[in-house]
């Protein structure tokens, strides 16, 4: 079992930035960020795979160029740096993980955090 704990959410004005963190209870190779806005389906926004010096990232089209996923493998933490935030980025953001080299945007994740709210005002 892997426990995931997100932090860093909050309220910001459009154009601002936030950095989310997700601390895992132990190393796990594939980690991702999802979000779910009210009345909408949960969507994956970024994934990162890291193992033995290899690191691969994937981004959903809507956040590419504005969001950056990264990880600290020593502290088992993944980050999501969000810049140029828009009101449509308002959502609950979730960290997820799976122990696999298949770490793209269309795979199932086994472990989930409790979520952290991001609110962007215009």
């Amino acid at each position: 079992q892997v426990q995931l704990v997100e932090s860093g959410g909050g309220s910001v004005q459009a154009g601002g930035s936030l950095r989310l963190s997700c601390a895992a209870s132990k190393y796990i190779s594939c980690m991702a960020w999802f979000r779910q806005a009210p009345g909408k389906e949960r969507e994956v926004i970024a994934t990162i795979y890291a193992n033995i010096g290899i690191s691969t990232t994937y981004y959903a089209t809507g956040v590419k160029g504005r969001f950056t996923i990264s990880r600290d493998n020593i502290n088992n933490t993944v980050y999501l740096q969000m810049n140029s935030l828009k009101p449509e980025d308002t959502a609950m953001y979730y960290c997820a993980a799976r122990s696999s080299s298949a770490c793209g945007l269309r795979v199932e994740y086994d472990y989930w955090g409790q979520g952290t709210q991001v609110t962007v005002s215009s």
Side-chain angles (χ1 to χ4, degrees):
Q1 288 289 329
V2 178
Q3 285 75 49
L4 303 173
V5 179
E6 302 100 331
S7 61
S11 297
V12 64
Q13 290 191 329
S17 298
L18 282 174
R19 188 175 83 153
L20 306 183
S21 300
C22 172
S25 57
K26 62 181 181 181
Y27 167 80
I28 188 163
S29 56
C30 174
M31 300 186 77
W33 285 99
F34 286 72
R35 68 184 179 187
Q36 187 168 20
K40 295 188 176 181
E41 292 188 356
R42 185 173 60 195
E43 61 173 345
V44 59
I45 53 176
T47 75
I48 185 165
Y49 171 81
N51 192 22
I52 314 176
I54 299 172
S55 182
T56 305
T57 58
Y58 291 98
Y59 294 93
T61 302
V63 305
K64 199 174 294 184
R66 298 189 299 124
F67 292 8
T68 302
I69 190 170
S70 62
R71 61 188 293 168
D72 176 351
N73 292 325
I74 294 175
N75 295 306
N76 299 325
T77 300
V78 66
Y79 303 97
L80 186 69
Q81 177 67 43
M82 305 185 294
N83 298 328
S84 303
L85 283 161
K86 306 174 182 179
E88 51 264 43
D89 294 316
T90 295
M92 185 70 79
Y93 283 70
Y94 297 92
C95 177
R98 69 195 301 253
S99 183
S100 173
S101 60
C103 192
L105 301 177
R106 295 182 178 84
V107 297
E108 295 293 324
Y109 286 80
D110 301 313
Y111 307 103
W112 293 86
Q114 81 288 353
T116 186
Q117 178 68 38
V118 171
T119 302
V120 184
S121 58
S122 58

